Amino acid sequence: MLDRRSLLAGGAALFATAACSRAAPAGSGGQNLLPVPPLLDTRSNRSFALRAQSGRTSFYPGRPSDTLGYNGSYLGPAVRVRRGDDVAAAVTNGLEANTTVHWHGLLIPGELDGGPHQVIAPGATWRPTLPIRQPAATLLYHSHVHGLTAEQVYSGLAGALLVTDDEEQGLGLPSEYGVDDLPLLIQDRQFEDGRLVLPGGMMVAMQGRRGDTILVNGAVSPSAVVPNRLVRLRLVNASNARIYELSFSDKRSFHWIGTEGGLLERTVEIAAISLAPGQRAEVLVDFTDGRAASLVTAPDSNNSMMGGMGTMGRSGGTGNANAPATVVRFEPRPIGQPQASGAVPTLLASRARPDASKAVRRRRLVLNMGMGGMMGSGSGGGGLTINGKPFDMNRIDETVTLGSTEIWEVSGEMMRHPIHIHGVHFDVLTRGAASLIFSIRGLVTRCLSRSPWSFSFASIIRPKVFPSCTTVISSNMRIME
């Protein structure tokens, strides 16, 4: 019987060293063992350090690629913070280019957000103190430097940020990190002769950077040995542009327990879930039957109005293009002693809902992609606009009064568009005929339309945490670019 200590040690060692080999087999399928990101738990010292650095990673044996990572050659450690703590971060830029670190989903003042306006120069260290004042949730941190976000995220500058609190810990959810509580950073990347390449050209300008190979925690075709009991998966879409339609190969159902805004009020039994770039979801999967199963995704179909051109310029696999692609395989085995209750809770987190009747203003945001964006012309987003304006860090387009409640109506066209608001959670009130692909049941930080042609939704916004906060609204077809 495997125990928790040996499994954690093996997973952490693989995450630290398999960037050079990626050859650790697991199970009977000859797949790579799923790496487990090292955990930086700040609950004891209320501090952590990250270093953005370049390195070499072998996703395939003997074929090293130039990559970026935090505290390693590719991706970064999982950082755990606790609600109520003030956590001191130290972020050092070991690159030859500017970078930033954005705490994606964290409700903090604008000057601590790490957006494109907070550049960390090569060799410099940024030392923000992060006030953690929100419920338990699975968040994401990543580079957000203007003009280089796509390249730096694609090359590896991303990691999981986990918020915990007393309410979550009292629910009896699976909580043994790396054993029955697994962060899964899902990415698509393109390879040539086994080496990572950065896609470019017209189709990247139109569709965003997409790949022909799915990675999980930096591993190709990974397999995870999990306990034959209830397992908590923290799903993170860390891709630049791809939308995942996730389900299990054996059609088993699972329980959705959390959005990017935190735990739901009640668990929801589902058979599939969709995630846009930067979006997260927490689910519970029951492996007590001992049967192996794979998490799979439907084919990538989020193309623009250009139709079939959406797949040009990207390598496809040699198999059936319409068949589901395997994301990660799970092999249940008797592992250790369960510390969680083993039962799926019905009630989760309580929260107060904003009152739409108290909205003082309704705003309309129109997302568009003109020919400039499709053909890659211009800078700072080309033809990608909100209300006809491309992104400009030196311009403020919307001013919102702290503590007020507003309703924002968002519409878009040509492709499915995520929208993400830094430092704010919101509720979705209504959806248009082209319904949101992610069925919103709790606080969120982004939304997505199912239709590639048009969509609209009304959301309720109430900035209430910090005064003097500059918010960035990110919305285009490739939210991590």
Side-chain angles (χ1 to χ4, degrees):
M1 177 182 291
L2 298 174
D3 60 27
R4 177 174 179 269
R5 184 181 300 275
S6 62
L7 187 63
L8 275 173
L14 180 64
F15 197 87
T17 63
C20 300
S21 65
R22 296 288 167 184
S28 57
Q31 296 168 305
N32 295 323
L33 179 65
L34 176 74
V36 177
L39 179 64
L40 300 183
D41 197 329
T42 70
R43 290 178 295 179
S44 59
N45 57 10
R46 299 182 184 179
S47 66
F48 68 96
L50 297 175
R51 178 181 177 85
Q53 60 192 67
S54 59
R56 301 273 283 172
T57 302
S58 291
F59 299 94
Y60 295 92
R63 301 182 184 277
S65 302
D66 293 326
T67 55
L68 303 178
Y70 296 108
N71 301 0
S73 68
Y74 190 74
L75 296 179
V79 179
R80 176 180 286 161
V81 296
R82 179 175 54 197
R83 185 179 190 178
D85 286 350
D86 294 321
V87 180
V91 183
T92 300
N93 183 2
L95 308 176
E96 296 181 355
N98 289 338
T99 194
T100 73
V101 176
H102 168 51
W103 320 108
H104 193 126
L106 200 58
L107 302 181
I108 51 177
E111 63 269 19
L112 305 177
D113 178 74
H117 53 291
Q118 290 165 320
V119 172
I120 309 173
T125 298
W126 180 45
R127 301 181 183 277
T129 296
L130 308 177
I132 312 301
R133 304 292 187 269
Q134 67 193 82
T138 297
L139 311 181
L140 173 68
Y141 65 90
H142 61 85
S143 166
H144 208 327
V145 63
H146 186 46
L148 290 175
T149 296
E151 179 179 341
Q152 291 190 357
V153 171
Y154 186 94
S155 298
L157 289 187
L161 178 62
L162 314 179
V163 180
T164 187
D165 63 12
D166 292 340
E167 187 175 28
E168 175 209 26
Q169 293 174 8
L171 292 172
L173 297 171
S175 59
E176 295 182 73
Y177 181 82
V179 179
D180 59 10
D181 184 356
L182 299 174
L184 302 179
L185 276 71
I186 306 171
Q187 302 170 302
D188 63 331
R189 296 294 182 257
Q190 187 164 320
F191 293 88
E192 292 181 3
D193 193 27
R195 291 180 170 87
L196 183 69
V197 296
L198 184 69
M202 181 185 73
M203 298 314 300
V204 167
M206 291 174 57
Q207 311 290 354
R209 284 179 171 85
R210 306 192 194 189
D212 52 21
T213 303
I214 295 177
L215 310 178
V216 182
N217 295 349
V220 178
S221 300
S223 178
V225 176
V226 295
N228 57 344
R229 56 179 186 262
L230 208 60
V231 174
R232 179 182 190 176
L233 303 180
R234 300 175 184 262
L235 305 172
V236 179
N237 185 346
S239 295
N240 286 56
R242 178 163 180 170
I243 298 169
Y244 295 98
E245 317 279 353
L246 300 169
S247 61
F248 279 91
S249 56
D250 60 359
K251 311 300 182 184
R252 72 177 62 195
S253 62
F254 50 95
H255 289 85
W256 181 23
I257 63 169
T259 69
E260 55 273 298
L263 295 175
L264 301 175
E265 292 177 289
R266 293 174 174 269
T267 58
V268 181
E269 186 173 0
I270 56 177
I273 194 167
S274 301
L275 292 181
Q279 200 166 26
R280 291 90 59 206
E282 294 188 34
V283 300
L284 296 179
V285 186
D286 189 352
F287 290 106
T288 55
D289 60 10
R291 293 187 291 114
S294 295
L295 185 68
V296 299
T297 184
D300 184 7
S301 61
N302 187 31
N303 301 322
S304 72
M305 64 183 297
M306 304 299 284
M309 291 180 64
T311 58
M312 292 172 55
R314 300 201 308 272
S315 303
T318 57
N320 183 357
N322 296 318
T326 298
V327 177
V328 56
R329 177 179 172 83
F330 296 101
E331 300 189 10
R333 298 178 186 173
I335 298 175
Q337 298 297 320
Q339 297 183 8
S341 67
V344 176
T346 300
L347 300 178
L348 295 169
S350 58
R351 67 180 184 89
R353 293 182 176 274
D355 186 352
S357 67
K358 296 182 179 179
V360 298
R361 181 171 178 176
R362 180 184 290 266
R363 300 176 194 260
R364 179 171 172 77
L365 305 178
V366 180
L367 320 180
N368 203 351
M369 182 180 71
M371 290 304 295
M374 290 195 293
M375 306 310 289
S377 63
S379 60
L384 302 173
T385 65
I386 300 179
N387 290 347
K389 299 178 181 179
F391 176 69
D392 184 347
M393 286 190 294
N394 299 312
R395 186 188 70 239
I396 296 176
D397 296 310
E398 307 287 344
T399 301
V400 180
T401 302
L402 180 71
S404 63
T405 298
E406 296 192 356
I407 294 176
W408 292 12
E409 183 178 342
V410 182
S411 61
E413 57 187 33
M414 296 183 67
M415 291 184 67
R416 289 184 283 182
H417 291 252
I419 180 167
H420 164 56
I421 308 173
H422 288 199
V424 175
H425 289 169
F426 57 87
D427 275 358
V428 174
L429 300 179
T430 61
R431 297 185 285 267
S435 62
L436 295 176
I437 196 168
F438 199 87
S439 301
I440 305 301
R441 293 174 181 266
L443 286 172
V444 296
T445 62
R446 73 179 53 231
C447 286
L448 179 67
S449 162
R450 178 173 293 280
S451 169
W453 305 106
S454 65
F455 74 95
S456 64
F457 68 87
S459 59
I460 189 163
I461 309 290
R462 188 182 184 191
K464 59 180 181 179
V465 182
F466 300 100
S468 183
C469 177
T470 300
T471 292
V472 176
I473 303 175
S474 300
S475 182
N476 53 51
M477 68 203 176
R478 41 197 194 266
I479 201 75
M480 301 282 277
E481 301 220 349

